[in-house]
Amino acid sequence: MTAEQFLSYFSPERFIKDLRARSKDGVLSEMSKVLAEDDDVRDPGLLLEMIRRRESLGSTGLGDGIAVPHGRSTAATQTKVVFARSKRGIDFAAMDGKPCRIFFLIVAPYEDNRHEYLPLLGKIVETASREDIRKKFMDVGSHEEFQEVVRGAIGE
Amino acid sequence: MSDRVQMLVALQDLELMIREAEDPTSKETEEALGFTMQGIEKLQMDCEQLRKKIPKPDLRLYDRIRRRYHRVVVPVVSRICTGCFQGLPTSRTRTIPTSRPLPTCESCGRILYWL
Ligand SMILES: [Zn+2]
């Protein structure tokens, strides 16, 4: 997956510089609402319900301050990602018990005909697992800066 | 959530999540990335409770279509059923069914969900 392919799932509208939420459920709700403003995804209530259920299977807080809530829903017709950051950090029941500061919410359609969901999920985890990139994600002030970090991380 | 179609969408999404959590390949893929998938009993209980809330005729229709198709409830995008990709007649518009039968596609019979 190239940097541009990776970036095609993100947008300036789906970039949250500093989350207002202070709880895990608040984060999921705030991010679902942003996602549901997109033309290809609707129904924030249904999305939130699906994402909460996925969390009940096991927290998507991977450790090192990263969380990647994700799932597939009939309410989505395209795969989309929201990037969000919390300066103060949020208890997300992560595996290492540390607060989460960087969040990627991924929602894919019920039928993933283009087989893009799992490769994208893998690429996000791989990118966010790098300590140098995590530090840069913590400092980005805009979607454009986020794009620059991704281009530097994934290469041309 | 009171809309009848929405309840079926929630059921469909939940059943998919359970199938994936039970599927060795997708479970392995997620676990290899560092995710855990252990609370499946909770999801199964949620599923049973949700089924109890859905009106019986709607559930019968859902299960009947399920035997034919992988996907029972499908979004309508630009007046097209995304189950069979047939256009819908112009007379068909978004309806909020209360006592009426659920909106279904005349071509494939799947339940229609207006996004
Ligand atoms: Zn159809």
Side-chain angles (χ1 to χ4, degrees):
Chain A
M1 187 180 290
T2 65
E4 296 314 310
Q5 284 168 335
F6 183 85
L7 288 169
S8 68
Y9 300 102
F10 295 82
S11 83
E13 292 75 31
R14 296 193 298 279
F15 175 90
I16 305 176
K17 193 173 163 184
D18 197 16
L19 285 159
R20 272 184 234 160
R22 287 163 180 262
S23 66
K24 176 172 179 172
D25 205 52
V27 170
L28 298 177
S29 169
E30 192 173 340
M31 292 182 82
S32 300
K33 273 189 201 125
V34 167
L35 191 64
E37 280 164 21
D38 193 278
D39 281 347
D40 297 314
V41 189
R42 293 290 163 85
D43 227 322
L46 276 174
L47 286 178
L48 182 58
E49 193 177 5
M50 184 276 288
I51 290 293
R52 274 180 184 150
R53 283 188 170 131
R54 173 60 189 83
E55 292 298 319
S56 75
L57 260 184
S59 174
T60 59
L62 291 169
D64 294 322
I66 305 288
V68 189
H70 60 275
R72 294 204 274 150
S73 173
T74 306
T77 57
Q78 300 285 334
T79 302
K80 303 273 164 157
V81 186
V82 182
F83 171 84
R85 196 174 46 189
S86 168
K87 290 263 165 80
R88 64 174 76 84
I90 285 152
D91 177 9
F92 212 76
M95 289 152 206
D96 61 3
K98 289 184 195 165
C100 287
R101 292 194 161 81
I102 295 167
F103 302 85
F104 292 88
L105 171 69
I106 312 171
V107 172
Y110 184 87
E111 280 201 290
D112 181 28
N113 292 325
R114 290 196 275 171
H115 303 286
E116 53 188 2
Y117 172 56
L118 288 175
L120 175 64
L121 184 62
K123 198 70 185 172
I124 287 175
V125 172
E126 181 195 322
T127 308
S129 301
R130 288 173 50 182
E131 197 186 348
D132 57 328
I133 303 302
R134 274 203 304 277
K135 281 190 181 143
K136 288 181 181 165
F137 280 154
M138 276 312 294
D139 289 333
V140 293
S142 66
H143 174 68
E144 288 66 32
E145 287 177 26
F146 170 78
Q147 288 179 306
E148 286 312 307
V149 174
V150 169
R151 288 185 185 117
I154 299 181
E156 284 75 37
Chain B
M1 193 170 49
S2 58
D3 185 306
R4 289 159 60 203
V5 176
Q6 274 185 319
M7 283 202 281
L8 294 177
V9 169
L11 178 65
Q12 172 164 282
D13 287 352
L14 179 53
E15 288 183 343
L16 173 70
M17 195 180 289
I18 293 171
R19 276 203 306 282
E20 290 200 325
E22 285 172 338
D23 173 58
T25 315
S26 69
K27 191 166 186 264
E28 263 171 42
T29 308
E30 290 231 4
E31 286 176 348
L33 292 173
F35 298 106
T36 53
M37 296 179 100
Q38 291 171 336
I40 192 161
E41 296 79 13
K42 160 90 172 60
L43 292 188
Q44 284 161 338
M45 273 164 49
D46 275 5
C47 190
E48 275 173 40
Q49 282 175 356
L50 182 56
R51 278 184 163 268
K52 280 180 197 153
K53 279 191 219 158
I54 297 171
K56 289 278 179 300
D58 293 1
L59 204 54
R60 273 199 295 275
L61 178 65
Y62 176 91
D63 287 329
R64 197 161 66 231
I65 301 171
R66 165 58 97 216
R67 276 180 239 127
R68 281 183 69 192
Y69 298 115
H70 176 62
R71 210 166 35 139
V72 176
V73 191
V74 293
V76 176
V77 179
S78 311
R79 308 198 60 82
I80 287 170
C81 161
T82 58
C84 65
F85 295 96
Q86 295 293 309
L88 303 177
T90 44
S91 57
R92 292 299 295 271
T93 50
R94 188 195 169 106
T95 50
I96 309 290
T98 47
S99 61
R100 282 170 303 214
L102 289 165
T104 54
C105 172
E106 283 168 28
S107 304
C108 69
R110 290 182 178 93
I111 297 163
L112 298 171
Y113 170 48
W114 266 264
L115 279 179

